[in-house]
Amino acid sequence: MKYAQLQQSVGLLVIVGHVIIILMIFFYFSRGGLLFEEMTTSLALISPMLAVYTTAIIKQFQQSKYQEDAEGLMLSGPFIAITFVFPTIYLILIGAFVVFRANRTVFTSFNQFSATLGILESVFGVYAGQTLSALFDIRSSKHKTGTSRRAR
């Protein structure tokens, strides 16, 4: 797999995952699994966690709207695997936690749910951020180096 292909695949995975999680929250609210306060707080907790990545991905997609025909270098299998694994696990866990709270199967209180989301962000957010920043420009503006050195 080439750099641009991996970038597109992982980027779409994160964007679609983000939208699905938001829709899940609204679905469980409409079915009575989440109270209004739980729904709004869930959105307030989860959206910023994913918005940093989604914004950078959308920005990259907009900047590279034309596809290059260049051969490009093939990426290593471990790099591809790691790049998919952490964001996928991160999204699955967020979605699972929403389901667990809505069905009251794991989290008996909303405080347990929100604390667990905080722990998830601390643990998996770091790994997801590291893998996604290898593909997308997810850094503070004073640390930006551009993408010209990356293989495409």
Side-chain angles (χ1 to χ4, degrees):
M1 181 178 277
K2 296 189 172 98
Y3 182 81
Q5 293 169 322
L6 181 63
Q7 198 176 42
Q8 292 169 359
S9 299
V10 172
L12 290 173
L13 169 79
V14 171
I15 291 170
V16 169
H18 190 173
V19 170
I20 288 172
I21 289 168
I22 289 172
L23 292 174
M24 285 173 55
I25 292 170
F26 284 117
F27 171 78
Y28 283 113
F29 168 68
S30 72
R31 297 290 187 190
L34 295 172
L35 302 173
F36 179 78
E37 295 79 16
E38 293 176 332
M39 183 260 307
T40 55
T41 303
S42 295
L43 290 172
L45 290 171
I46 293 170
S47 291
M49 290 167 47
L50 297 173
V52 171
Y53 309 130
T54 302
T55 302
I57 292 165
I58 290 171
K59 181 179 175 185
Q60 177 64 35
F61 284 176
Q62 289 173 335
Q63 290 175 348
S64 60
K65 58 187 158 211
Y66 300 107
Q67 189 170 356
E68 295 179 24
D69 290 325
E71 284 295 314
L73 298 172
M74 294 298 289
L75 299 171
S76 70
F79 179 75
I80 294 168
I82 293 295
T83 304
F84 272 107
V85 165
F86 285 112
T88 301
I89 291 172
Y90 187 54
L91 290 167
I92 288 171
L93 286 175
I94 293 172
F97 290 175
V98 169
V99 172
F100 294 156
R101 177 56 194 155
N103 293 321
R104 309 296 196 262
T105 55
V106 174
F107 305 115
T108 57
S109 73
F110 191 74
N111 287 338
Q112 290 176 344
F113 169 71
S114 58
T116 306
L117 279 178
I119 293 168
L120 175 68
E121 171 63 15
S122 297
V123 176
F124 272 96
V126 171
Y127 296 121
Q130 285 293 325
T131 56
L132 291 172
S133 67
L135 293 177
F136 305 98
D137 198 12
I138 304 174
R139 289 175 259 168
S140 67
S141 60
K142 63 182 175 182
H143 292 100
K144 288 184 182 178
T145 59
T147 59
S148 59
R149 295 183 299 142
R150 295 185 181 134
R152 292 184 194 260

